Short mmCIF file of all heavy atoms in Angstrom, two decimals:
data_model
loop_
_atom_site.label_atom_id
_atom_site.label_comp_id
_atom_site.label_asym_id
_atom_site.label_seq_id
_atom_site.Cartn_x
_atom_site.Cartn_y
_atom_site.Cartn_z
N PHE F 1 109.99 78.86 97.87
CA PHE F 1 109.53 78.31 96.59
C PHE F 1 110.13 79.12 95.44
O PHE F 1 109.79 80.34 95.32
CB PHE F 1 108.04 78.30 96.59
CG PHE F 1 107.42 77.65 95.30
CD1 PHE F 1 107.95 76.65 94.62
CD2 PHE F 1 106.30 78.28 94.80
CE1 PHE F 1 107.45 76.16 93.44
CE2 PHE F 1 105.71 77.81 93.56
CZ PHE F 1 106.29 76.65 92.92
N VAL F 2 110.94 78.50 94.63
CA VAL F 2 111.52 79.18 93.48
C VAL F 2 111.04 78.63 92.16
O VAL F 2 111.25 77.43 91.83
CB VAL F 2 113.16 79.13 93.52
CG1 VAL F 2 113.67 79.86 92.38
CG2 VAL F 2 113.67 79.59 94.91
N GLU F 3 110.27 79.42 91.45
CA GLU F 3 109.56 78.96 90.26
C GLU F 3 109.44 80.22 89.30
O GLU F 3 108.90 81.24 89.71
CB GLU F 3 108.25 78.39 90.64
CG GLU F 3 107.27 78.16 89.45
CD GLU F 3 107.72 77.24 88.42
OE1 GLU F 3 108.01 76.04 88.75
OE2 GLU F 3 107.99 77.63 87.23
N ASP F 4 109.86 80.06 88.07
CA ASP F 4 109.71 81.21 87.12
C ASP F 4 108.37 81.40 86.40
O ASP F 4 108.08 82.43 85.93
CB ASP F 4 110.88 81.17 86.15
CG ASP F 4 110.77 79.93 85.26
OD1 ASP F 4 110.40 78.89 85.64
OD2 ASP F 4 111.05 80.12 83.97
N ASP F 5 107.58 80.32 86.46
CA ASP F 5 106.35 80.42 85.77
C ASP F 5 105.31 81.13 86.73
O ASP F 5 105.06 80.56 87.84
CB ASP F 5 105.81 79.03 85.43
CG ASP F 5 104.49 79.04 84.68
OD1 ASP F 5 103.51 79.44 85.20
OD2 ASP F 5 104.48 78.60 83.44
N ASP F 6 104.79 82.23 86.36
CA ASP F 6 103.96 83.05 87.30
C ASP F 6 102.68 82.30 87.69
O ASP F 6 102.34 82.40 88.84
CB ASP F 6 103.55 84.40 86.51
CG ASP F 6 104.72 85.28 86.29
OD1 ASP F 6 105.76 85.09 86.98
OD2 ASP F 6 104.57 86.14 85.41
N VAL F 7 102.13 81.62 86.75
CA VAL F 7 100.85 80.90 87.03
C VAL F 7 101.13 79.75 88.11
O VAL F 7 100.42 79.65 89.15
CB VAL F 7 100.16 80.31 85.83
CG1 VAL F 7 98.94 79.47 86.23
CG2 VAL F 7 99.77 81.49 84.90
N ILE F 8 102.19 78.92 87.87
CA ILE F 8 102.48 77.89 88.78
C ILE F 8 102.89 78.38 90.13
O ILE F 8 102.46 77.87 91.21
CB ILE F 8 103.57 76.98 88.18
CG1 ILE F 8 103.05 76.27 86.88
CG2 ILE F 8 103.99 76.00 89.14
CD1 ILE F 8 104.10 75.51 86.16
N ARG F 9 103.76 79.49 90.06
CA ARG F 9 104.22 80.05 91.33
C ARG F 9 103.10 80.55 92.21
O ARG F 9 103.01 80.25 93.39
CB ARG F 9 105.26 81.10 90.99
CG ARG F 9 105.92 81.66 92.37
CD ARG F 9 107.05 82.69 91.98
NE ARG F 9 106.50 83.95 91.39
CZ ARG F 9 106.62 84.24 90.13
NH1 ARG F 9 107.30 83.47 89.30
NH2 ARG F 9 106.07 85.36 89.69
N GLU F 10 102.18 81.33 91.57
CA GLU F 10 101.12 81.88 92.35
C GLU F 10 100.14 80.87 92.91
O GLU F 10 99.71 80.91 94.00
CB GLU F 10 100.43 82.98 91.57
CG GLU F 10 101.33 84.23 91.27
CD GLU F 10 100.70 85.15 90.31
OE1 GLU F 10 99.51 85.00 89.93
OE2 GLU F 10 101.39 86.14 89.86
N ALA F 11 99.79 79.90 91.97
CA ALA F 11 98.79 78.83 92.30
C ALA F 11 99.37 77.97 93.50
O ALA F 11 98.68 77.61 94.40
CB ALA F 11 98.37 78.00 91.10
N THR F 12 100.63 77.61 93.29
CA THR F 12 101.18 76.74 94.34
C THR F 12 101.36 77.46 95.65
O THR F 12 101.15 76.84 96.71
CB THR F 12 102.58 76.22 93.82
OG1 THR F 12 102.44 75.55 92.57
CG2 THR F 12 103.23 75.22 94.86
N GLN F 13 101.75 78.68 95.54
CA GLN F 13 101.87 79.46 96.84
C GLN F 13 100.60 79.49 97.49
O GLN F 13 100.53 79.30 98.77
CB GLN F 13 102.34 80.84 96.53
CG GLN F 13 102.52 81.78 97.85
CD GLN F 13 103.10 83.05 97.50
OE1 GLN F 13 103.37 83.46 96.46
NE2 GLN F 13 103.25 83.86 98.59
N LEU F 14 99.43 79.80 96.82
CA LEU F 14 98.18 79.92 97.48
C LEU F 14 97.76 78.51 98.08
O LEU F 14 97.19 78.36 99.17
CB LEU F 14 97.09 80.28 96.47
CG LEU F 14 97.13 81.74 96.02
CD1 LEU F 14 96.20 82.00 94.90
CD2 LEU F 14 96.84 82.71 97.24
N ALA F 15 98.05 77.37 97.34
CA ALA F 15 97.65 76.07 97.78
C ALA F 15 98.45 75.75 99.04
O ALA F 15 97.95 75.16 100.01
CB ALA F 15 98.03 75.01 96.65
N LEU F 16 99.75 76.12 99.08
CA LEU F 16 100.54 75.81 100.28
C LEU F 16 100.13 76.62 101.46
O LEU F 16 100.09 76.08 102.56
CB LEU F 16 102.01 75.97 100.06
CG LEU F 16 102.70 75.09 98.98
CD1 LEU F 16 104.15 75.51 98.74
CD2 LEU F 16 102.71 73.62 99.54
N GLU F 17 99.81 77.86 101.14
CA GLU F 17 99.28 78.76 102.30
C GLU F 17 97.94 78.29 102.83
O GLU F 17 97.71 78.29 104.09
CB GLU F 17 99.20 80.13 101.74
CG GLU F 17 100.56 80.76 101.59
CD GLU F 17 100.55 82.22 100.94
OE1 GLU F 17 99.45 82.48 100.42
OE2 GLU F 17 101.58 82.91 101.03
N ARG F 18 97.07 77.72 102.08
CA ARG F 18 95.90 77.17 102.47
C ARG F 18 96.01 75.93 103.39
O ARG F 18 95.30 75.66 104.29
CB ARG F 18 94.98 76.71 101.27
CG ARG F 18 94.19 77.88 100.68
CD ARG F 18 93.14 77.35 99.76
NE ARG F 18 93.53 76.50 98.73
CZ ARG F 18 93.88 76.93 97.52
NH1 ARG F 18 93.81 78.18 97.19
NH2 ARG F 18 94.29 76.07 96.60
N ASP F 19 97.19 75.22 103.18
CA ASP F 19 97.52 74.08 104.03
C ASP F 19 98.35 74.47 105.24
O ASP F 19 98.86 73.64 105.95
CB ASP F 19 98.30 73.04 103.18
CG ASP F 19 97.37 72.11 102.47
OD1 ASP F 19 96.95 71.14 103.14
OD2 ASP F 19 97.12 72.28 101.26
N GLY F 20 98.50 75.82 105.49
CA GLY F 20 99.10 76.32 106.71
C GLY F 20 100.60 76.61 106.64
O GLY F 20 101.15 76.88 107.68
N PHE F 21 101.13 76.61 105.48
CA PHE F 21 102.56 76.90 105.33
C PHE F 21 102.78 78.42 105.10
O PHE F 21 101.87 79.08 104.51
CB PHE F 21 103.19 76.16 104.11
CG PHE F 21 103.23 74.73 104.26
CD1 PHE F 21 102.26 73.86 103.69
CD2 PHE F 21 104.22 74.05 104.96
CE1 PHE F 21 102.31 72.51 103.80
CE2 PHE F 21 104.33 72.75 105.05
CZ PHE F 21 103.29 71.87 104.55
N ALA F 22 103.77 78.97 105.55
CA ALA F 22 104.25 80.27 105.22
C ALA F 22 105.20 80.20 103.94
O ALA F 22 106.05 79.38 104.06
CB ALA F 22 104.91 80.97 106.37
N VAL F 23 104.87 80.97 102.96
CA VAL F 23 105.64 80.72 101.70
C VAL F 23 106.32 82.10 101.23
O VAL F 23 105.63 83.09 101.16
CB VAL F 23 104.70 80.25 100.58
CG1 VAL F 23 105.49 80.04 99.28
CG2 VAL F 23 103.91 78.97 100.98
N THR F 24 107.61 81.90 100.93
CA THR F 24 108.31 82.99 100.21
C THR F 24 108.53 82.45 98.77
O THR F 24 109.20 81.52 98.64
CB THR F 24 109.67 83.27 100.88
OG1 THR F 24 109.39 83.78 102.21
CG2 THR F 24 110.38 84.39 100.08
N ALA F 25 107.87 83.13 97.82
CA ALA F 25 108.00 82.72 96.37
C ALA F 25 108.82 83.68 95.63
O ALA F 25 108.71 84.88 95.73
CB ALA F 25 106.59 82.60 95.83
N MET F 26 109.80 83.11 94.91
CA MET F 26 110.78 83.87 94.11
C MET F 26 110.77 83.37 92.63
O MET F 26 110.63 82.17 92.40
CB MET F 26 112.15 83.78 94.70
CG MET F 26 112.33 84.54 96.07
SD MET F 26 111.98 86.28 95.89
CE MET F 26 111.96 86.81 97.60
N PRO F 27 110.98 84.29 91.66
CA PRO F 27 110.90 83.92 90.28
C PRO F 27 112.24 83.46 89.60
O PRO F 27 112.23 82.99 88.48
CB PRO F 27 110.45 85.20 89.61
CG PRO F 27 111.07 86.31 90.48
CD PRO F 27 111.06 85.79 91.82
N ASP F 28 113.36 83.57 90.34
CA ASP F 28 114.66 83.18 89.73
C ASP F 28 115.54 82.72 90.84
O ASP F 28 115.41 82.95 92.05
CB ASP F 28 115.18 84.32 88.98
CG ASP F 28 115.49 85.58 89.81
OD1 ASP F 28 116.48 85.58 90.50
OD2 ASP F 28 114.67 86.56 89.73
N GLY F 29 116.64 82.07 90.42
CA GLY F 29 117.59 81.51 91.28
C GLY F 29 118.31 82.52 92.22
O GLY F 29 118.62 82.27 93.39
N LEU F 30 118.74 83.64 91.63
CA LEU F 30 119.55 84.59 92.39
C LEU F 30 118.64 85.23 93.51
O LEU F 30 119.10 85.38 94.58
CB LEU F 30 120.05 85.76 91.44
CG LEU F 30 121.10 85.28 90.58
CD1 LEU F 30 121.53 86.38 89.52
CD2 LEU F 30 122.37 84.77 91.38
N SER F 31 117.41 85.56 93.25
CA SER F 31 116.51 86.14 94.19
C SER F 31 116.18 85.01 95.23
O SER F 31 116.07 85.30 96.39
CB SER F 31 115.22 86.72 93.62
OG SER F 31 114.47 85.73 93.02
N GLY F 32 116.08 83.74 94.77
CA GLY F 32 115.91 82.66 95.69
C GLY F 32 117.03 82.44 96.67
O GLY F 32 116.75 82.24 97.83
N LEU F 33 118.23 82.59 96.16
CA LEU F 33 119.40 82.44 97.07
C LEU F 33 119.38 83.57 98.12
O LEU F 33 119.64 83.37 99.28
CB LEU F 33 120.64 82.48 96.31
CG LEU F 33 122.02 82.38 97.06
CD1 LEU F 33 121.99 81.05 97.78
CD2 LEU F 33 123.19 82.48 96.07
#
């Protein structure tokens, strides 16, 4: 999950993890790549 907005990134990561996904969240495209 690549998202630069801290609030959206953290909230979405938590929501996906609650649904059983393993999530790697990154704040920019280079770290995402």
Side-chain angles (χ1 to χ4, degrees):
F1 179 39
V2 182
E3 165 65 62
D4 64 322
D5 185 294
D6 294 341
V7 174
I8 295 176
R9 187 175 65 254
E10 293 171 9
T12 303
Q13 179 176 1
L14 288 173
L16 291 175
E17 289 174 344
R18 281 198 299 269
D19 272 280
F21 296 98
V23 182
T24 297
M26 293 295 175
D28 59 77
L30 290 175
S31 63
L33 180 61

